[in-house]
Amino acid sequence: MIPTHKPLVDYFEALNTNLIDFPEKSFFRQDIDEIYGAFRTGINFPCMAVESPDGDAEDSTVISSVIGRMFAFSVYQKPKKGNFIQQTEMLDQCEVIGKKIIARMKHDATIEGNILYDRFEANTVRWIKIGPIFNELLYGYRFSGFIKGNESLKVDAADWQDL
């Protein structure tokens, strides 16, 4: 399976569903412009928000095609405003949960047939503290990294009227 947009979002949703740290209704795909307004209603904490992947073909040559996708997800918590001890504890929870997800991705990259098989590059993963964001002043960590693999970029004549 090629890790295009929907399969990748579905993969991260499955990680959220299967990780015991997350309650029900704690996953969504986030658009970057959402962070300037109110947080989505009906989401339970801690939660996981996934961004749509970015892509590139920078490692491709005339002979081979290598497609890279940058993934990003955030783990959020909702501490009480001004409670710095709770903020610190919840930030730590978010970092620990995110590293569990990265560990699972690293594991899944060794399983033949998995969307990440031989594609996940753990050495590219970075994470940064985020918050306070949204009107609700959420805190958490944003994790990002790369998934890379050979994918065909051959022209299919059936897709083109002029070929």
Side-chain angles (χ1 to χ4, degrees):
M1 178 183 298
I2 296 174
T4 55
H5 184 272
K6 182 172 178 5
L8 276 174
V9 172
D10 290 348
Y11 171 79
F12 282 108
E13 185 171 14
L15 292 179
N16 172 272
T17 299
N18 291 312
L19 183 58
I20 63 172
D21 295 284
F22 289 119
E24 287 187 33
K25 297 182 182 175
S26 62
F27 176 85
F28 65 99
R29 186 184 60 78
Q30 172 180 316
D31 291 324
I32 292 297
D33 63 344
E34 288 183 282
I35 64 173
Y36 300 111
F39 192 69
R40 289 192 187 190
T41 59
I43 301 293
N44 297 312
F45 294 96
C47 72
M48 178 183 186
V50 172
E51 298 169 25
S52 296
D54 293 330
D56 67 55
E58 74 179 354
D59 290 333
S60 296
T61 66
V62 174
I63 299 167
S64 67
S65 301
V66 179
I67 302 299
R69 289 183 180 81
M70 188 189 107
F71 68 87
F73 67 88
S74 298
V75 179
Y76 296 119
Q77 273 283 26
K78 187 178 180 180
K80 290 185 173 116
K81 184 178 179 181
N83 187 333
F84 300 107
I85 293 170
Q86 189 180 46
Q87 285 175 13
T88 297
E89 290 169 354
M90 288 186 167
L91 278 166
D92 189 70
Q93 283 179 331
C94 292
E95 181 182 9
V96 168
I97 291 169
K99 288 193 300 186
K100 287 180 183 181
I101 293 167
I102 297 303
R104 176 60 188 263
M105 293 173 71
K106 189 175 175 191
H107 168 78
D108 288 350
T110 66
I111 300 171
E112 200 167 336
N114 187 286
I115 191 171
L116 297 185
Y117 179 67
D118 207 24
R119 293 176 183 264
F120 175 57
E121 297 186 344
N123 64 326
T124 67
V125 175
R126 305 284 183 265
W127 57 95
I128 60 168
K129 179 250 182 205
I130 51 178
I133 60 171
F134 300 103
N135 294 342
E136 294 78 7
L137 306 179
L138 303 183
Y139 287 81
Y141 272 90
R142 180 182 184 267
F143 290 76
S144 62
F146 286 92
I147 298 166
K148 259 183 198 178
N150 294 322
E151 291 180 34
S152 175
L153 286 178
K154 292 184 179 182
V155 172
D156 182 346
D159 292 333
W160 298 90
Q161 293 181 27
D162 63 335
L163 295 180

